[in-house]
Amino acid sequence: MNRLRTILLFFGIGIPSLLSAQDFYTQEQRDKWMAKAETNKPKLTEQEKKPVQLVKLEADDKAFQGWKATPAGSVDQLYQQAFKKQSGVVIDFGEHLTGYYTFTMKESANVLDGPLRFKMTFAEVPGELATPFDPYTGGLTRAWLQDEIITVMELPATITIPRRMAFRYLKIDLLAGSGNFDFKITDMSFKAVTAVTNVPVQLAANTDPMIKKVDAVGQATLKECMQTVYEDGPKRDRRLWIGDLYLESLANNYSFKDHELTKRCLYLIAGLSRTDGYLNANAFENPKPHAQAGAPFLFEYSLLFNAALKEYFIATKDSEFVLDLWPVAKRQMDNISKHLDDNGLFNVNAAQKDGWWIFVDWRDGLDKQASLQGIMIFTMKETLTLAKLLGKDKEVSQLNGLIDKMTKAAKTRLYDKKTGLFVSGASKQVSYASQAWMIMSGVASKAEAQKAMKAIAGYDNVVKPGTPYLYHYYIEALIKCGLTQEAKASVIDYWGGMVNKGADTFWEAYDPDNDKLSPYNFFPINSYCHAWSCTPVYFIRKHPEIFQGP
Amino acid sequence: MNRLRTILLFFGIGIPSLLSAQDFYTQEQRDKWMAKAETNKPKLTEQEKKPVQLVKLEADDKAFQGWKATPAGSVDQLYQQAFKKQSGVVIDFGEHLTGYYTFTMKESANVLDGPLRFKMTFAEVPGELATPFDPYTGGLTRAWLQDEIITVMELPATITIPRRMAFRYLKIDLLAGSGNFDFKITDMSFKAVTAVTNVPVQLAANTDPMIKKVDAVGQATLKECMQTVYEDGPKRDRRLWIGDLYLESLANNYSFKDHELTKRCLYLIAGLSRTDGYLNANAFENPKPHAQAGAPFLFEYSLLFNAALKEYFIATKDSEFVLDLWPVAKRQMDNISKHLDDNGLFNVNAAQKDGWWIFVDWRDGLDKQASLQGIMIFTMKETLTLAKLLGKDKEVSQLNGLIDKMTKAAKTRLYDKKTGLFVSGASKQVSYASQAWMIMSGVASKAEAQKAMKAIAGYDNVVKPGTPYLYHYYIEALIKCGLTQEAKASVIDYWGGMVNKGADTFWEAYDPDNDKLSPYNFFPINSYCHAWSCTPVYFIRKHPEIFQGP
């Protein structure tokens, strides 16, 4: 399409505006999808939460990011004493919460004769409170950091901060106040919100104890991210992304089973697709649902939409809905052959030059060729499976040939028989990402897959996953090739590692060897409750037999 | 009373709690006054104001406080261009306003993908914007400074800052925002509020041109301070003080004539008086009217209540109201003899030791003995005048003897016949304050008064006024002793000086030789629209003949 445009423009031939403006789906169709998205918008459940204790931040080399929060008294202690001397207090709500904070202030000595200025910092982890935000060095807007400056003009006052917060810890600093009086802070409460309404069935009693903990933290993560859309993170970016939607809906299919939210989100993504029918990678809900205009096309996410749709069908058998969106799934496949070389190998550079965003993982230096080759094959297979279930396989029969060709190309060009490892790019880079996707896609036979997964564990110069997002596919690949005990061990090692480091919810980025890893160059801006990290809930509940026993 | 308490305690005799708790006026009486205060609460008039231009702050040695605001484009220019490059813009609303700011934000490029963090600084004068607030060195709470940090989560958004602001200039700084998009700020408006409903009669056409300007700025000052009480300043402290109430009601009596507000405020002060019947110096309205518990007793303000009541009666002839509060006025006189020496000279030190606050003026080093002697005599005379008008003179007949005794003491001990100047304290300090109050009180004969006022102008080691509050009494004294041309010249020199320096409203503190004079050690915290500075409106309209001609 872009090449065509270039050629036409080169010859001075304008592209008729009708052509470029033509809507692949029609406005009428979109309106219907958007109306259904609205119909399926959940009414959030609200729960009033109270703080559980005061804590003190202590530097500790052994603690996550070097900081731990230790008990420092009861909340009543805060309420009953004048506040000034308590400025800097840290309040612990005992769990990760998403919603709205309310507190009351009243005078304790004399009469307020001037306003009060506060900084209220809401944090998901202790290190976020212990690290000064300014001067800010992060790569995303500093405004995501949850410190609000508020002026209180009169007392008593009951104040609700209008911004929705995601946090466990709250630090209150009095920035300014007259010297002639003091006051008390009291009656703190938090209106916690989530779209979750169901309670998952309990795990078998003989489930591994650490697996039980991982499951609980995974559920908390998923619950916090399930709002009026599947958010990527309730602190940041509070946005629907296809990649997170896919993993969250997998976990939800096997736990809360609040399926309306999945339906809503898939409708939103479809309704907000580009005019050419390809999907925008994310969506915003307010003030009315809209895609991020001008954002790059995230190729692999558009493909994973199909996998999410297939899994939704398997979980619900809701063929009416899935048939409604089948044309969207079918359309995404039209991109597969756009940047293949003659042998059927995906050309990452060409795609990127075309403005496509290739993601795979937050990890500097990761070569993405093999991963994309795998993702493309995997999603073609998922699409075919869905097509068969819907009786639509003839509509996408061309995928069979593409799968064969691309599998052959991968086997020939991306597999190092000597080491038994899949490699990527000109440098023949070895990464967890490449192994995972070559296995997920079925390029690797079961034997090759097991060999690769065992070899990589002892391989020195390997690019490890930077996020639980990629770790998910790594675990899925282990299970797929029958390395179930390795899968269990990895879940315990990786997600259990977060649990051991005090995680209340699972983190956006986690490298066991680097607590301060941040995709944004400043760890406090990381999301510490992130959708794509919740998937042990899915593994554990889909394959309970793997996760039993100590 | 306090001496009695000491004696009783010395002998181990407890004061019955009934005695100390006894209410001088009865709760029933207070409730009636408070109900009437509520009945007379004005409904504020609201007016929608729009910004008039953009301005640039420029350092200029000749400008007030070294900063001037020069035109820098139209508001449309701000509205039509993307904001990011305009961060730091200063918007000029063209006049001093008190109320609520609203603006709209919308996207101009791509889609907002993260929150925005702004600092919005509202300033009465340019220097306030050009001076960093932090690290803060002022003596009042920094929270009075009108910089609000706000986070905007979504666009478009129409935002009203809930805090009431008093300002002319608004500076908008974008503190944080994602790099991928831009936005526009548009539709700024300001809901300006005041209790004023009437329009004063125009000054005679032959009024001095500068006097016309001073009158206009004085009216603006008074209008801004007239809210649901007479505030001392709409930026700070937004509070009813007896001293400001007196001067504001004087000006109002001769201009807007919105008398209900005076009635309300006098009722509030009476209803919130101390149990012993003496007046608290100030009152807060919210959440329900209350005095500042624990604040020191401001002796002279309690006395000036009587002067305000008398002037109100003269302006309105509302004898029912004034008789209602007559017992309060009468009670204030009971303090007169508490700290007099045997000769009838007021002992400032003794009063201060007793916890009394003696104010007179914001001016370090001012000796207050002579001023207080004068204020006491002046307010006794005002009280007697009121008593006669009400037919109540027998109830305060003891004041005649006190006035004679204290006048004699003043004449003997506070007058330097050689220089013709009144002096104060052990150091025999010469100040404008002492001259003004010795004249206001009638201690000085007309001839002595004229001599003193002429002498002081050429006197070297003199303590000058620090505020328009004291300047008011200085002008009043000049007029009283017939130095009307000097009065006019002083109004032109002092208030006209502020006009020449760009005042939209008159300032809390003004020293022609020191633009940065601050009672609080940091000039941006000063109030630049201050009630007690509005009184040229009173002089000019009470004595129009003085202020005519160029």
Side-chain angles (χ1 to χ4, degrees), chain B residues 414-423 430 435 444 447-456:
Chain B
L414 303 176
Y415 187 57
D416 181 339
K417 280 182 189 161
K418 270 187 262 173
T419 60
L421 288 162
F422 289 90
V423 296
V430 174
Q435 314 312 311
E448 288 164 346
Q450 292 201 354
K451 190 176 172 193
M453 286 308 214
K454 284 175 179 166
I456 202 167

Side-chain angles (χ1 to χ4, degrees), chain B residues 377-449:
Chain B
I377 297 169
F378 169 75
T379 54
M380 283 192 282
K381 287 181 174 175
E382 293 284 281
T383 308
L384 272 175
T385 304
L386 179 61
K388 276 172 202 151
L389 291 168
L390 298 174
K392 296 278 188 186
D393 34 332
K394 279 183 191 155
E395 294 184 15
V396 286
S397 55
Q398 87 284 3
L399 295 182
N400 292 297
L402 274 167
I403 290 168
D404 289 347
K405 186 175 177 180
M406 289 184 69
T407 301
K408 199 177 156 194
K411 214 51 183 289
T412 316
R413 310 273 294 275
L414 303 176
Y415 187 57
D416 181 339
K417 280 182 189 161
K418 270 187 262 173
T419 60
L421 288 162
F422 289 90
V423 296
S424 185
S427 67
K428 302 202 175 298
Q429 183 189 73
V430 174
S431 68
Y432 278 71
S434 300
Q435 314 312 311
W437 281 114
M438 285 291 104
I439 295 166
M440 289 287 289
S441 63
V443 168
S445 70
K446 190 169 178 180
E448 288 164 346

Side-chain angles (χ1 to χ4, degrees), chain A residues 197-397:
Chain A
T197 59
N198 298 327
V199 178
V201 292
Q202 279 210 309
L203 296 182
N206 67 340
T207 306
D208 182 286
M210 176 51 91
I211 290 294
K212 283 184 184 168
K213 287 183 193 169
V214 167
D215 180 70
V217 174
Q219 280 188 44
T221 308
L222 178 58
K223 170 182 69 78
E224 291 289 277
C225 294
M226 287 175 70
Q227 301 292 337
T228 47
V229 293
Y230 283 116
E231 295 186 6
D232 55 343
K235 170 177 130 187
R236 207 215 78 234
D237 300 320
R238 305 169 48 158
R239 193 187 313 176
L240 173 62
W241 287 93
I242 297 172
D244 300 79
L245 156 61
Y246 172 41
L247 299 195
E248 287 176 279
S249 64
L250 276 182
N252 180 38
N253 287 341
Y254 287 85
S255 58
F256 301 119
K257 302 182 199 291
D258 278 308
H259 296 301
E260 293 73 15
L261 189 62
T262 313
K263 213 160 154 176
R264 166 173 172 74
C265 292
L266 291 168
Y267 270 134
L268 279 175
I269 292 292
L272 298 172
S273 59
R274 301 172 3 166
T275 324
D276 60 14
Y278 299 117
L279 297 172
N280 284 299
N282 63 50
F284 300 85
E285 285 187 280
N286 295 316
K288 57 177 188 181
H290 60 286
Q292 186 178 9
F297 175 62
L298 209 175
F299 177 47
E300 72 216 64
Y301 274 21
S302 74
L303 303 178
L304 288 169
F305 177 88
N306 294 12
L309 195 64
K310 181 212 112 185
E311 289 290 333
Y312 180 83
F313 184 71
I314 288 170
T316 65
K317 307 289 181 290
D318 183 352
S319 57
E320 186 185 338
F321 165 71
V322 176
L323 282 168
D324 201 7
L325 293 188
W326 168 247
V328 181
K330 207 169 84 176
R331 175 59 169 166
Q332 304 318 305
M333 294 291 104
D334 294 346
N335 264 330
I336 295 282
S337 48
K338 287 235 175 89
H339 294 294
L340 297 184
D341 69 11
D342 293 342
N343 298 315
L345 208 61
F346 180 64
N347 187 335
V348 177
N349 291 340
Q352 286 172 334
K353 266 189 196 157
D354 205 9
W356 292 11
W357 178 15
I358 308 299
F359 168 60
V360 182
D361 188 24
W362 288 125
R363 175 62 90 181
D364 289 342
L366 175 65
D367 190 283
K368 298 171 180 179
Q369 181 191 35
S371 298
L372 260 287
Q373 189 82 5
I375 292 170
M376 290 162 79
I377 297 169
F378 169 76
T379 54
M380 282 192 281
K381 288 181 173 175
E382 293 283 282
T383 308
L384 272 174
T385 303
L386 178 61
K388 276 173 200 151
L389 290 167
L390 298 173
K392 296 279 189 185
D393 34 332
K394 279 184 191 153
E395 296 184 14
V396 286
S397 54

Side-chain angles (χ1 to χ4, degrees), chain B residues 89-90 119 143 159 168 187 226 250 254 257 311 321 369 388 428 466 505 509 536:
Chain B
V89 67
V90 179
K119 183 167 70 173
I159 294 168
R168 171 175 169 174
D187 288 331
M226 286 175 70
L250 276 183
Y254 287 86
K257 303 183 199 291
E311 290 290 333
F321 165 71
Q369 181 191 34
K388 276 172 202 151
K428 302 202 175 298
T505 47

Side-chain angles (χ1 to χ4, degrees), chain B residues 22-287:
Chain B
Q22 198 167 21
D23 188 340
F24 188 83
Y25 302 115
T26 78
Q27 189 59 46
E28 195 189 345
Q29 176 63 76
R30 286 176 192 275
D31 291 347
K32 281 184 191 165
W33 287 336
M34 293 308 282
K36 288 175 185 167
E38 194 57 28
T39 311
N40 284 285
K41 186 173 181 174
K43 188 174 158 13
L44 299 182
T45 60
E46 297 176 357
Q47 222 184 332
E48 196 193 3
K49 299 283 185 171
K50 297 286 185 184
V52 300
Q53 63 176 348
L54 310 183
V55 291
K56 199 167 54 178
L57 298 180
E58 284 181 10
D60 180 351
D61 287 348
K62 288 177 209 139
F64 178 58
Q65 298 176 336
W67 291 95
K68 67 179 175 189
T70 56
S74 72
V75 177
D76 274 351
Q77 184 178 312
L78 167 66
Y79 289 175
Q80 282 161 17
Q81 291 172 28
F83 185 79
K84 270 187 188 168
K85 282 193 179 164
Q86 300 188 80
S87 178
V89 67
V90 179
I91 299 116
D92 176 9
F93 277 70
E95 62 186 315
H96 192 284
L97 298 171
T98 298
Y100 304 91
Y101 172 69
T102 297
F103 66 107
T104 292
M105 297 174 59
K106 57 186 184 186
E107 280 152 325
S108 70
N110 295 332
V111 172
L112 179 74
D113 69 346
L116 300 164
R117 189 176 172 97
F118 291 94
K119 183 167 70 173
M120 303 239 167
T121 310
F122 295 80
E124 297 181 308
V125 294
E128 208 177 341
L129 283 184
T131 310
F133 291 167
D134 301 297
Y136 180 67
T137 56
L140 292 176
T141 170
R142 184 216 178 284
W144 282 120
L145 295 168
Q146 300 179 124
D147 59 329
E148 296 285 305
I149 310 286
I150 61 172
T151 309
V152 177
M153 299 303 293
E154 287 161 0
L155 293 185
T158 294
I159 294 168
T160 297
I161 295 184
R163 177 177 177 182
R164 200 195 73 186
M165 298 295 179
F167 83 118
R168 171 175 169 174
Y169 303 102
L170 162 62
K171 182 163 182 274
I172 306 180
D173 292 289
L174 177 66
L175 300 182
S178 148
N180 301 326
F181 74 100
D182 211 329
F183 59 93
K184 285 177 180 171
I185 290 187
T186 180
D187 288 331
M188 291 190 287
S189 70
F190 194 84
K191 187 173 80 180
V193 293
T194 173
V196 167
T197 59
N198 298 328
V199 178
V201 293
Q202 280 210 309
L203 296 181
N206 67 340
T207 307
D208 183 286
M210 176 52 90
I211 289 294
K212 282 183 184 169
K213 288 183 193 169
V214 167
D215 180 70
V217 174
Q219 281 188 43
T221 308
L222 178 57
K223 170 183 70 76
E224 290 289 277
C225 294
M226 286 175 70
Q227 300 293 336
T228 47
V229 293
Y230 282 116
E231 296 186 5
D232 55 342
K235 170 177 131 185
R236 206 215 78 236
D237 301 320
R238 303 168 50 156
R239 192 187 313 177
L240 174 61
W241 287 93
I242 297 172
D244 300 78
L245 156 61
Y246 173 42
L247 299 194
E248 286 177 279
S249 64
L250 276 183
N252 180 39
N253 287 341
Y254 287 86
S255 57
F256 301 119
K257 303 183 199 291
D258 278 307
H259 296 300
E260 293 72 16
L261 188 63
T262 312
K263 213 161 153 177
R264 165 172 171 74
C265 291
L266 291 168
Y267 270 134
L268 279 175
I269 292 292
L272 298 172
S273 59
R274 304 177 354 170
T275 324
D276 61 13
Y278 298 117
L279 297 173
N280 283 299
N282 64 51
F284 299 85
E285 286 185 282
N286 296 316

